[in-house]
Amino acid sequence: MDLGASTWTDAAAAETELAVLPVGSTEQHGPHDPLATDALLAEAVAEAGAAAYDGEVVVAPTLPYGISEEHRAFAGSLWLSPDTFRAAVGELVESLAAHGWRRVVVVNGHGGNTAALREAGRDLTVPGERYVTSFTWFDAVDTSAIDDEAVKMGHAGPVETAALLATHPELVREDRLEEGAAGAADGWGEWLSGVNLAYGVDEFSENGTVGDPTAATAEVGEALLAEATDALVELLDAVATRELD
Amino acid sequence: MDLGASTWTDAAAAETELAVLPVGSTEQHGPHDPLATDALLAEAVAEAGAAAYDGEVVVAPTLPYGISEEHRAFAGSLWLSPDTFRAAVGELVESLAAHGWRRVVVVNGHGGNTAALREAGRDLTVPGERYVTSFTWFDAVDTSAIDDEAVKMGHAGPVETAALLATHPELVREDRLEEGAAGAADGWGEWLSGVNLAYGVDEFSENGTVGDPTAATAEVGEALLAEATDALVELLDAVATRELD
Amino acid sequence: MDLGASTWTDAAAAETELAVLPVGSTEQHGPHDPLATDALLAEAVAEAGAAAYDGEVVVAPTLPYGISEEHRAFAGSLWLSPDTFRAAVGELVESLAAHGWRRVVVVNGHGGNTAALREAGRDLTVPGERYVTSFTWFDAVDTSAIDDEAVKMGHAGPVETAALLATHPELVREDRLEEGAAGAADGWGEWLSGVNLAYGVDEFSENGTVGDPTAATAEVGEALLAEATDALVELLDAVATRELD
Amino acid sequence: MDLGASTWTDAAAAETELAVLPVGSTEQHGPHDPLATDALLAEAVAEAGAAAYDGEVVVAPTLPYGISEEHRAFAGSLWLSPDTFRAAVGELVESLAAHGWRRVVVVNGHGGNTAALREAGRDLTVPGERYVTSFTWFDAVDTSAIDDEAVKMGHAGPVETAALLATHPELVREDRLEEGAAGAADGWGEWLSGVNLAYGVDEFSENGTVGDPTAATAEVGEALLAEATDALVELLDAVATRELD
Amino acid sequence: MDLGASTWTDAAAAETELAVLPVGSTEQHGPHDPLATDALLAEAVAEAGAAAYDGEVVVAPTLPYGISEEHRAFAGSLWLSPDTFRAAVGELVESLAAHGWRRVVVVNGHGGNTAALREAGRDLTVPGERYVTSFTWFDAVDTSAIDDEAVKMGHAGPVETAALLATHPELVREDRLEEGAAGAADGWGEWLSGVNLAYGVDEFSENGTVGDPTAATAEVGEALLAEATDALVELLDAVATRELD
Amino acid sequence: MDLGASTWTDAAAAETELAVLPVGSTEQHGPHDPLATDALLAEAVAEAGAAAYDGEVVVAPTLPYGISEEHRAFAGSLWLSPDTFRAAVGELVESLAAHGWRRVVVVNGHGGNTAALREAGRDLTVPGERYVTSFTWFDAVDTSAIDDEAVKMGHAGPVETAALLATHPELVREDRLEEGAAGAADGWGEWLSGVNLAYGVDEFSENGTVGDPTAATAEVGEALLAEATDALVELLDAVATRELD
């Protein structure tokens, strides 16, 4: 059920305890992918997962903002502080639970949100009463065919660009993919002793891209998203059947 | 400029100090209007105002959540606390300003957000450096032709329903308008000594509606939105020309 | 019962669940009215209402500070942040309730406090257990005889000045009323599209006054306060009889 | 200058950097002294000190609430949390300083506020720019003639009762002094290893009194307040002459 | 039981409700005593008291940081804000209580922590369910033989230096005791009207010392610590036997 | 320089901008390793790294508490909330920087702290003025010889037990290693779709251990710690030479 498009009487008729809350970010994705990339892909995976799941799932409106300050050198990137992001997610989950939707998966499209969501998930779970977890779609897929270990997912790289080509091709500036590839095609800048020394993404990528997006195709994107959708369905099933009082 | 659909390089090219941030809510709007009503209408007015304005305006992604706890008795209503809502708006405005967009109008579609936005506007304005204000679209239009003084705007009443019929007719359940009218067609419940005694909307409207939506038409909605758009354009002009250092 | 003047043993003997907490501000009121105006008038109405009510009412000491930063350009205006003001009112209400006085009306004398008190009232009400609301005295009276629509209440204008002449004539500098009238006699400065563009009161009134105080008389003030007192009594009755467990 | 009774134009004419902010509490003071005791005495000392000081001093309205939860067992005691109390004092001091009154003495009448005020004073002082300290009137006087070491000041005991007889005799229930003496005439209950084990005052005093108020006289009260006034004057002088940039 | 050195299975076997949490500071102690002085002595007293107590006591790891900003002029002094210090102590006490150790004594070695711990103790105590208090070791001993009234305890003075000579002689720079004595041998700088006017310790002691450490001996230190240990044992006994549900 | 053992005059003589702050936890480490494990190992690595570094490094006292609530089912585990942990680390870093030590590496021994430290590092870094990062010792070493991919580091498993045997052999209960191995020798319980479904460690390990500690030896521990020390030295060098104004 697409909650935003539903009326409250529709919502009242939902016989489920299961809800997903998509969260993304508004942040630079190179010269070729739109600022809304993370929100669009989280929403796409959330909707696909809910549709494929064998049972009813409430899909809340997408929160289009996240923890993106490390992109502040690039115009248009907007951000919430980690504290406010956790508070917002927490209050939304609590209001979902107030309606009986007490099994919640936050479906995330932004790597910078992941740690904060894990912290929030613990805070919001009440053993025996409520279960909350988060799912970052690209952490659940095998991307080794399209990027390499140093790039891992990248940023506006081959994985996200392919996924966008599958879902929102009109928003990808294909004529700027070469330009995008001139960013940090080889990875996330300098790591030392398990630590990434950069403060901002601009320290290692002049145009904000990490990874080479030129190889991205809609077909690859569809396959990646299908894999993510399957993974979400599996997770929804585990969350739906977890024992609560 | 639709920020979410733009790339950062597009955003960097914007030669303006003016931005709008649409905010709405996810809350019950009777048995006939969708939970996303306030967000959809705020977004529609913001986009129309930016398009009509003679100059560039950055339109940030819509924040679809607001201060809606008074609707908690109705399924699907989700809410942020006033503190978190103010914090989120504040941080988004500050990140807009970090890119030079230091003249910001928050375009609002939910009456329950208005006071909090006024408080936030003051906090975020820095005399001489940054100017932030908020605009609630239905406070800027003359609705007397379609509702009466006791109803004022109502809730999922003639004004919002008409506006939705103009922008998102597929989301209005026209076959339930009669049912909607069985709510609180005459107004907001009991007032005494300048005070509304109700704690929740459910105390005076069984189905969440205030006002009678049956008279709503797309034509009326278009006229109301056109008036709101004009008012926003006028406000944008005043904000754009306000003296800053 | 005047709580401050009572002993705890007197307070323990009170057989009521009803309390009022007067709140005001310390802020400029033109060259002719004192900085304590809002606190003095809130206290006067609270005491008169409690005296006139047919039953016992605890009157807590007046909080003489409120949300007044928009008057910061005028010497002597002191202010609490909205957060601290809400926290203070909240803790005082909770301690009133700890003694069984769980039906509380905050009696307010400052327009800048009104929205924050409404927010606090919702937070502090616990359905079935505790009921808290607020009453801004001049919102409950018909001032049309003494001011006009544009002025509404004004600030240190005809309404407040008249009320002070009735309660604390020695604090009104009657020889400066003409000077006061040279402020913003016609209203609250520029409004556009439902929005007041001013950041501070000094942007539209050089001496801080809004409205023309020269017409104020003690007789008018007495009539206004009597009307406010009646309204408060009616509200107290509704609060006293509201169903709680 | 009594700030509350002044107009802003009077306040603007004050040629001083020196202000005092009286703070008290609303808390039980036995069966014989009023709940407002601490506020009344702080105000009396603040006014007397300002009057006696050779120079202009702004006297802000009295904050009648403080940190009194340890009296919660006694009806009518109201309290702020330490956090809110510190925040309120801090914001008031900052607004005083915004008008140039950057040398501030908080004049305190409640022992339970003392530690919090010391913490606030440090936070609010900005070396070279602003100096803030607090003064608890009974810590500055020699009370050994009227109480003993175990009682130290007491609570609604000989010192406070004498002071009230000097300033507000109509509020002292002299016919209940004997009853008051039946509280904890000998001191503050059990101390062990430098620690007072009681959680609330009611654990060691059934009627809330500590010390024997029957010996209190207006003459003694006058002498004590005169001593406190002198001490405050001396402190004001030191604060006024402390080197700031 | 030394909790840090124990395994959880050992901890699970503890049959007690009694725990101590030592807290100190990292702050200058003159040219002769180490920055860890307060933490080392709190830990020594806590361990000795637990060992001497007739019953099992859990000794939590020492929190080596406290409220020390008044020493910021001296290199190496580190500090927590009062708010964070109270929060940390509070959460540690709550986790102790989660394991059944609901009678907690915070054993403190730093005067600057005392007021904050008293505030925390009240907040953390739940009448009938949990009892939390704090003990500052040097407040429980008679130091009149080694210092005088004006010095009271001092800072890196005769009391602390003697105690360190008894517990950690290798950390006392005995060749710098004379240098230490050149600080504020006579006391804590200027007091006026019950108020210490200094903002930082550096205003009255150039090297940070208060009191004359040259007279300190290990024998005196042992006697002082033995007295503190006895006092703690007595307090533990009172806390262990206090009535809880 | 061991800050706790130093005097402030020693600290003032330090000619460096480089400091390390060791942080650990107090949490269960199976039936065989002590609750202080994480703090002890962080401290050992911090001290070894500072000693091996070619230049002066200030080593602050170890914060022995961290984010450990997921171990709350096991007796003796104590925890700070993520907010308080970040606040404490932040204030300590700021006070280090107040003395000129503005290049700070937080040396961490607890996996549960890592994400919070990364968040804090960003908040505390001020581009051009201050650089703060964190280093989790076991993330910088190759543990593949002693554990496998599923176990990764484990908990009280082969890596930590070996390291403790090298540094604090007296605290390892070698006779309980077999018992420890009966925990979750094969890994961290159930993972699904990139998500670990467990709320607490007790859901997948009855005795709290993850990984098999029986293979641990002091020799292996020494090698691991030597590798961590080298990595820290390399990081210190990068931090020391990073460009600041």
Side-chain angles (χ1 to χ4, degrees):
Chain A
M1 184 181 45
D2 174 352
L3 191 65
S6 305
T7 66
W8 79 262
T9 47
D10 299 337
E15 297 194 348
T16 183
E17 293 188 334
L18 206 54
V20 297
L21 169 64
V23 300
S25 77
T26 296
E27 73 178 27
Q28 71 87 8
H29 275 77
H32 54 288
D33 288 341
L35 287 146
T37 297
D38 294 343
L40 294 170
L41 296 176
E43 189 169 294
V45 172
E47 286 173 355
Y53 180 71
D54 181 22
E56 201 162 13
V57 184
V58 172
V59 183
T62 301
L63 181 65
Y65 294 110
I67 304 174
S68 304
E69 201 188 351
E70 64 186 341
H71 297 279
R72 68 176 298 158
F74 301 96
S77 302
L78 306 185
W79 58 88
L80 299 176
S81 68
D83 283 347
T84 297
F85 179 73
R86 280 186 290 261
V89 168
E91 292 167 10
L92 296 176
V93 166
E94 277 169 2
S95 44
L96 287 165
H99 301 301
W101 306 322
R102 59 179 183 156
R103 301 170 186 272
V104 184
V105 177
V106 183
V107 175
N108 176 38
H110 173 43
N113 293 342
T114 303
L117 288 173
R118 209 169 284 144
E119 187 178 315
R122 266 199 64 80
D123 273 4
L124 294 164
T125 293
V126 184
E129 286 180 39
R130 192 200 295 168
Y131 186 74
V132 182
T133 190
S134 56
F135 169 87
T136 299
W137 74 267
F138 45 75
D139 287 349
V141 299
D142 178 1
T143 61
S144 58
I146 194 167
D147 61 15
D148 58 37
E149 175 60 15
V151 171
K152 275 187 208 128
M153 257 307 291
H155 184 75
V159 175
E160 289 183 310
T161 303
L164 278 174
L165 286 171
T167 61
H168 300 80
E170 76 286 3
L171 293 179
V172 179
R173 280 66 167 174
E174 296 197 60
D175 56 331
R176 300 190 198 151
L177 294 183
E178 287 293 341
E179 187 187 334
D186 294 343
W188 292 88
E190 192 186 1
W191 286 76
L192 192 69
S193 306
V195 175
N196 191 320
L197 293 173
Y199 176 74
V201 169
D202 52 309
E203 290 183 36
F204 53 81
S205 175
E206 233 171 86
N207 68 17
T209 307
V210 177
D212 178 349
T214 54
T217 65
E219 290 67 37
V220 168
E222 272 156 31
L224 290 168
L225 291 170
E227 192 182 344
T229 301
D230 289 351
L232 176 55
V233 167
E234 231 184 318
L235 180 61
L236 286 170
D237 199 54
V239 170
T241 56
R242 191 176 168 98
E243 194 172 317
L244 294 180
D245 299 333
Chain B
M1 183 181 46
D2 174 353
L3 192 65
S6 306
T7 65
W8 79 262
T9 47
D10 300 337
E15 296 195 348
T16 183
E17 293 189 334
L18 206 54
V20 298
L21 170 64
V23 300
S25 77
T26 296
E27 73 179 26
Q28 70 87 8
H29 276 76
H32 54 288
D33 289 341
L35 287 146
T37 296
D38 294 343
L40 294 171
L41 295 177
E43 188 169 293
V45 172
E47 287 173 355
Y53 179 71
D54 182 23
E56 202 162 11
V57 184
V58 172
V59 183
T62 300
L63 181 65
Y65 295 110
I67 304 175
S68 304
E69 201 187 351
E70 63 186 340
H71 297 278
R72 68 178 297 159
F74 300 96
S77 303
L78 306 185
W79 57 88
L80 299 177
S81 68
D83 282 348
T84 297
F85 179 73
R86 279 186 290 261
V89 168
E91 292 167 9
L92 296 176
V93 166
E94 277 169 1
S95 44
L96 286 165
H99 300 301
W101 306 322
R102 58 180 183 155
R103 301 170 187 272
V104 184
V105 177
V106 182
V107 176
N108 177 38
H110 173 43
N113 293 343
T114 302
L117 288 173
R118 210 168 287 144
E119 186 178 317
R122 265 198 64 79
D123 273 4
L124 293 165
T125 292
V126 184
E129 286 180 41
R130 192 200 294 168
Y131 186 75
V132 182
T133 190
S134 57
F135 168 87
T136 299
W137 74 266
F138 45 74
D139 287 349
V141 299
D142 177 3
T143 61
S144 58
I146 194 165
D147 60 16
D148 59 37
E149 176 59 14
V151 171
K152 276 187 209 128
M153 255 308 291
H155 184 74
V159 176
E160 289 182 312
T161 305
L164 278 174
L165 286 171
T167 60
H168 299 80
E170 76 286 2
L171 293 179
V172 178
R173 279 66 168 176
E174 297 197 58
D175 56 331
R176 300 190 199 151
L177 293 183
E178 287 293 342
E179 186 186 334
D186 295 343
W188 292 87
E190 191 185 1
W191 286 77
L192 191 69
S193 307
V195 175
N196 190 321
L197 293 171
Y199 176 74
V201 169
D202 52 308
E203 291 183 33
F204 53 81
S205 175
E206 232 171 86
N207 69 17
T209 307
V210 177
D212 178 349
T214 55
T217 65
E219 289 66 35
V220 168
E222 272 155 31
L224 290 168
L225 292 171
E227 192 182 343
T229 302
D230 289 349
L232 176 54
V233 168
E234 231 183 320
L235 181 61
L236 286 170
D237 199 54
V239 171
T241 56
R242 192 177 167 98
E243 194 173 317
L244 295 180
D245 300 332
Chain C
M1 184 181 46
D2 174 352
L3 192 66
S6 306
T7 66
W8 78 262
T9 47
D10 299 338
E15 297 195 349
T16 183
E17 292 189 336
L18 206 54
V20 297
L21 170 63
V23 301
S25 76
T26 296
E27 72 178 27
Q28 70 87 9
H29 274 76
H32 53 288
D33 288 341
L35 288 146
T37 296
D38 294 344
L40 294 171
L41 294 177
E43 189 170 294
V45 172
E47 286 173 356
Y53 179 71
D54 181 24
E56 202 161 11
V57 183
V58 172
V59 183
T62 300
L63 181 64
Y65 294 111
I67 304 175
S68 304
E69 199 187 353
E70 63 186 341
H71 297 279
R72 67 177 299 158
F74 300 96
S77 302
L78 306 185
W79 57 88
L80 299 177
S81 68
D83 283 348
T84 298
F85 178 74
R86 280 186 290 262
V89 168
E91 292 167 10
L92 296 176
V93 166
E94 278 170 1
S95 44
L96 285 165
H99 301 300
W101 306 322
R102 58 179 183 155
R103 301 170 186 271
V104 183
V105 178
V106 182
V107 176
N108 176 37
H110 173 43
N113 293 343
T114 302
L117 288 173
R118 209 168 285 144
E119 187 178 317
R122 264 198 65 79
D123 273 4
L124 294 165
T125 293
V126 184
E129 285 180 40
R130 191 200 293 167
Y131 186 74
V132 182
T133 191
S134 56
F135 169 86
T136 300
W137 73 267
F138 44 75
D139 287 350
V141 299
D142 178 2
T143 61
S144 58
I146 194 167
D147 61 17
D148 59 36
E149 176 60 15
V151 171
K152 277 187 205 127
M153 256 310 289
H155 184 74
V159 176
E160 288 183 312
T161 304
L164 279 174
L165 285 171
T167 60
H168 300 80
E170 76 287 3
L171 293 179
V172 179
R173 278 66 169 176
E174 296 197 59
D175 56 330
R176 300 190 200 152
L177 294 183
E178 287 293 343
E179 187 187 333
D186 294 343
W188 292 86
E190 192 185 1
W191 286 75
L192 191 70
S193 306
V195 174
N196 191 319
L197 293 171
Y199 176 75
V201 170
D202 52 309
E203 291 183 34
F204 54 80
S205 175
E206 232 171 86
N207 69 16
T209 308
V210 177
D212 178 349
T214 55
T217 65
E219 289 67 36
V220 169
E222 271 156 31
L224 290 168
L225 292 170
E227 193 183 343
T229 302
D230 288 351
L232 176 55
V233 167
E234 232 183 319
L235 180 61
L236 287 170
D237 200 54
V239 170
T241 57
R242 191 175 168 98
E243 196 173 315
L244 295 180
D245 299 332
Chain D
M1 184 181 46
D2 174 353
L3 192 66
S6 305
T7 66
W8 78 262
T9 47
D10 299 338
E15 297 194 349
T16 183
E17 294 188 334
L18 206 54
V20 298
L21 169 64
V23 300
S25 77
T26 296
E27 73 178 27
Q28 69 88 9
H29 275 78
H32 53 288
D33 288 341
L35 287 146
T37 296
D38 294 343
L40 294 171
L41 295 177
E43 188 170 292
V45 172
E47 287 173 355
Y53 179 71
D54 181 23
E56 202 162 11
V57 184
V58 171
V59 183
T62 300
L63 181 65
Y65 294 110
I67 305 174
S68 304
E69 200 187 351
E70 64 186 340
H71 297 278
R72 69 177 296 159
F74 300 96
S77 303
L78 306 185
W79 57 87
L80 299 177
S81 68
D83 283 347
T84 297
F85 179 73
R86 279 185 291 259
V89 167
E91 292 168 9
L92 296 176
V93 166
E94 278 170 0
S95 43
L96 286 165
H99 301 301
W101 307 321
R102 59 180 182 154
R103 302 171 185 272
V104 184
V105 178
V106 183
V107 175
N108 176 38
H110 173 44
N113 293 343
T114 303
L117 288 172
R118 210 169 285 145
E119 188 178 316
R122 265 198 64 80
D123 273 5
L124 294 165
T125 293
V126 184
E129 286 180 40
R130 192 201 294 168
Y131 187 74
V132 182
T133 191
S134 56
F135 169 87
T136 299
W137 74 267
F138 45 75
D139 287 350
V141 299
D142 177 3
T143 61
S144 59
I146 193 165
D147 62 15
D148 59 36
E149 176 59 16
V151 171
K152 275 186 209 129
M153 257 307 292
H155 184 74
V159 174
E160 289 183 311
T161 304
L164 278 174
L165 286 171
T167 61
H168 300 79
E170 75 286 2
L171 293 179
V172 179
R173 280 65 168 175
E174 295 197 60
D175 57 330
R176 300 189 198 152
L177 294 183
E178 286 292 342
E179 187 188 334
D186 295 343
W188 291 88
E190 192 185 2
W191 286 76
L192 191 70
S193 307
V195 175
N196 190 320
L197 293 172
Y199 176 73
V201 169
D202 52 308
E203 291 183 33
F204 54 82
S205 174
E206 234 172 84
N207 68 17
T209 308
V210 177
D212 178 350
T214 54
T217 65
E219 289 68 35
V220 168
E222 272 155 30
L224 290 168
L225 291 171
E227 192 182 344
T229 301
D230 289 350
L232 176 54
V233 167
E234 231 184 319
L235 180 61
L236 286 171
D237 199 54
V239 170
T241 56
R242 191 176 169 97
E243 195 172 316
L244 295 180
D245 299 333
Chain E
M1 183 180 48
D2 174 353
L3 191 66
S6 305
T7 66
W8 78 262
T9 46
D10 299 338
E15 298 195 349
T16 182
E17 293 188 335
L18 207 54
V20 298
L21 169 63
V23 300
S25 77
T26 297
E27 73 178 28
Q28 71 85 10
H29 275 76
H32 54 287
D33 288 342
L35 287 146
T37 296
D38 294 343
L40 294 170
L41 296 177
E43 187 169 294
V45 172
E47 287 173 355
Y53 179 71
D54 181 23
E56 201 162 10
V57 184
V58 171
V59 183
T62 300
L63 181 65
Y65 294 109
I67 304 174
S68 305
E69 200 187 352
E70 64 187 341
H71 297 279
R72 68 176 298 158
F74 300 96
S77 302
L78 306 184
W79 58 89
L80 298 176
S81 68
D83 282 347
T84 298
F85 179 73
R86 280 186 290 261
V89 167
E91 292 167 9
L92 296 176
V93 166
E94 277 170 2
S95 45
L96 287 165
H99 301 300
W101 306 322
R102 58 178 182 156
R103 301 170 186 271
V104 183
V105 178
V106 182
V107 176
N108 177 37
H110 173 43
N113 293 343
T114 302
L117 288 173
R118 210 168 285 143
E119 188 178 315
R122 265 198 64 80
D123 273 3
L124 294 165
T125 293
V126 184
E129 286 180 41
R130 192 202 294 168
Y131 186 75
V132 182
T133 191
S134 57
F135 168 87
T136 299
W137 74 267
F138 45 75
D139 287 349
V141 299
D142 177 3
T143 62
S144 59
I146 193 166
D147 61 17
D148 57 38
E149 176 60 14
V151 171
K152 275 187 206 128
M153 257 309 290
H155 184 74
V159 175
E160 289 183 311
T161 304
L164 278 174
L165 286 171
T167 61
H168 300 79
E170 75 286 2
L171 293 179
V172 179
R173 279 66 168 177
E174 296 199 57
D175 56 330
R176 301 190 199 152
L177 294 183
E178 287 292 342
E179 186 187 334
D186 294 343
W188 291 87
E190 191 185 1
W191 286 75
L192 191 69
S193 306
V195 175
N196 190 320
L197 293 172
Y199 176 75
V201 169
D202 52 308
E203 291 183 34
F204 54 82
S205 175
E206 231 171 88
N207 69 17
T209 307
V210 177
D212 177 349
T214 54
T217 65
E219 289 68 36
V220 168
E222 273 156 29
L224 290 168
L225 292 170
E227 192 183 343
T229 301
D230 289 350
L232 176 55
V233 167
E234 231 184 320
L235 180 62
L236 286 170
D237 199 54
V239 170
T241 56
R242 190 175 169 100
E243 196 173 315
L244 294 179
D245 299 332
Chain F
M1 184 180 47
D2 174 353
L3 192 66
S6 304
T7 65
W8 78 262
T9 47
D10 299 338
E15 298 195 348
T16 184
E17 293 189 333
L18 207 54
V20 297
L21 169 64
V23 299
S25 77
T26 296
E27 73 178 27
Q28 71 86 9
H29 275 77
H32 53 288
D33 288 341
L35 288 147
T37 296
D38 294 343
L40 295 170
L41 295 177
E43 188 170 294
V45 172
E47 286 173 356
Y53 180 71
D54 181 23
E56 203 162 9
V57 183
V58 171
V59 183
T62 300
L63 181 65
Y65 294 110
I67 304 174
S68 304
E69 200 187 352
E70 65 186 340
H71 296 279
R72 67 177 296 158
F74 300 96
S77 302
L78 306 185
W79 57 87
L80 299 177
S81 68
D83 283 347
T84 297
F85 179 72
R86 279 186 291 261
V89 167
E91 292 168 9
L92 296 176
V93 166
E94 277 170 1
S95 44
L96 286 165
H99 301 301
W101 306 322
R102 59 179 183 156
R103 301 170 186 272
V104 183
V105 178
V106 183
V107 176
N108 176 38
H110 172 43
N113 293 343
T114 303
L117 288 173
R118 210 169 287 146
E119 187 178 317
R122 264 198 64 80
D123 273 4
L124 294 165
T125 292
V126 184
E129 286 180 40
R130 193 201 291 168
Y131 187 75
V132 182
T133 192
S134 57
F135 168 87
T136 300
W137 74 267
F138 44 75
D139 286 350
V141 299
D142 178 2
T143 62
S144 59
I146 193 166
D147 60 17
D148 58 37
E149 177 59 15
V151 171
K152 275 187 209 130
M153 256 309 291
H155 184 75
V159 175
E160 289 183 312
T161 305
L164 278 174
L165 285 171
T167 61
H168 300 80
E170 75 287 2
L171 293 179
V172 179
R173 279 65 169 178
E174 296 197 58
D175 56 330
R176 300 189 199 153
L177 294 183
E178 287 293 342
E179 186 188 334
D186 294 343
W188 290 88
E190 192 185 0
W191 286 76
L192 191 70
S193 307
V195 175
N196 190 320
L197 293 171
Y199 176 74
V201 170
D202 52 308
E203 291 183 34
F204 53 82
S205 174
E206 231 172 87
N207 69 18
T209 307
V210 177
D212 178 349
T214 55
T217 65
E219 288 68 36
V220 168
E222 272 156 30
L224 290 168
L225 292 171
E227 193 182 343
T229 301
D230 289 350
L232 176 55
V233 167
E234 231 183 319
L235 180 61
L236 286 171
D237 199 53
V239 170
T241 56
R242 192 176 168 97
E243 195 172 316
L244 295 180
D245 298 333

